[in-house]
Amino acid sequence: MARYTDASCKLCRREAQKLFLKGDRCYSPRCALERRAYPPGQHGQGRKKTSDYGVQLREKQKAKRFYGMLEKQFHNTFLKAAKKKGITGDNLLIMLETRLDNVVFRMGFASSRKEARQLVNHGHFTINGKKADIPSMQVVPGSVVAVKKRSHKSPKFEEIKDMQISVPAWISVNVSNLEGTVLALPRREEIDTPISEHLIVELYSK
């Protein structure tokens, strides 16, 4: 399976915005964007004019990178969102938010979406008691996402049991049992990822 293997901090610098790809490091002075707040590459500090298309493209790239997706997967998600009833942009963000890796991140079981994707890939989670190791799985309302019993003694998850976790309203979490429930699909106003989805819709509608 194709995946991005270059430095994560380059992505934040390219988008001139923190994408929170490396957990705690993104909140510390070691964050690359804090030290070099300009795009990577030899022309990164040059002045550039951005066209309307460029603005739309950057918004799409930013959304992809927030959720850790490559182009083909992101485009396919957009096509599915466009076929659903309702506003395409809202549908897209809801589908991105209800990916298993993002739900694990939102429940506080990982410090970043990247870490959540890795934990899911390594088989640490179940959905309604069944094995779930595909990060892109869509989690539906009523689903219980839990850390596997054999993973409870892992230092990573032992640490979480003592943490105070803040979760969005569409999720509930039982930290002591290391499980959470998706109560409903998130509404647009409950999604705090800084994305202007209408620009993505405009880009793909050309």
Side-chain angles (χ1 to χ4, degrees):
M1 181 180 67
R3 61 191 178 94
Y4 179 80
T5 57
D6 207 345
S8 297
C9 293
K10 283 185 178 180
L11 301 181
C12 297
R13 291 177 58 207
R14 181 63 187 89
E15 303 306 332
Q17 184 174 348
K18 289 190 178 186
L19 305 180
F20 301 101
L21 303 176
K22 302 199 76 171
D24 294 339
R25 178 171 179 155
C26 298
Y27 299 93
S28 75
R30 294 192 301 153
C31 173
L33 193 62
E34 298 282 352
R35 295 181 293 165
R36 292 174 290 177
Y38 52 85
Q42 61 179 333
H43 302 298
Q45 298 184 67
R47 295 180 63 186
K48 295 181 180 179
K49 293 183 179 180
T50 305
S51 64
D52 289 343
Y53 172 79
V55 172
Q56 294 164 357
L57 179 63
R58 291 265 56 86
E59 200 65 23
K60 186 261 292 182
Q61 295 293 84
K62 181 173 71 174
K64 274 173 43 183
R65 290 163 176 174
F66 257 120
Y67 290 97
M69 301 167 71
L70 297 182
E71 179 60 38
K72 184 176 181 180
Q73 188 180 30
F74 188 85
H75 189 210
N76 286 341
T77 303
F78 175 84
L79 294 177
K80 291 176 183 177
K83 292 179 180 178
K84 290 177 174 286
K85 292 182 179 179
I87 302 171
T88 299
D90 290 0
N91 292 341
L92 175 63
L93 287 185
I94 290 169
M95 290 184 70
L96 295 174
E97 280 291 306
T98 51
R99 283 168 53 97
L100 177 56
D101 54 358
N102 185 75
V103 170
V104 167
F105 167 68
R106 291 295 192 186
M107 288 180 173
F109 297 150
S111 61
S112 67
R113 292 181 178 90
K114 184 176 181 180
E115 184 185 40
R117 192 159 50 254
Q118 184 180 53
L119 291 172
V120 171
N121 272 327
H122 289 179
H124 290 291
F125 291 91
T126 63
I127 295 180
N128 298 330
K130 297 181 179 179
K131 179 181 178 181
D133 58 2
I134 301 175
S136 61
M137 288 179 65
Q138 289 289 311
V139 184
V140 300
S143 298
V144 176
V145 178
V147 177
K148 279 187 176 180
K149 294 294 183 183
R150 63 178 176 81
S151 299
H152 277 216
K153 294 183 179 180
S154 165
K156 165 69 183 177
F157 297 116
E158 284 285 355
E159 181 182 353
I160 290 175
K161 290 180 181 179
D162 299 324
M163 295 173 59
Q164 293 291 328
I165 296 176
S166 176
V167 299
W170 53 279
I171 288 174
S172 70
V173 174
N174 185 325
V175 180
S176 59
N177 289 341
L178 291 176
E179 67 178 32
T181 303
V182 176
L183 303 174
L185 293 177
R187 299 192 302 273
R188 177 61 187 93
E189 58 269 24
E190 294 175 321
I191 301 173
D192 59 3
T193 310
I195 294 173
S196 299
E197 65 277 7
H198 69 279
L199 295 175
I200 302 172
V201 176
E202 291 172 6
L203 176 68
Y204 281 132
S205 299
K206 288 183 181 295

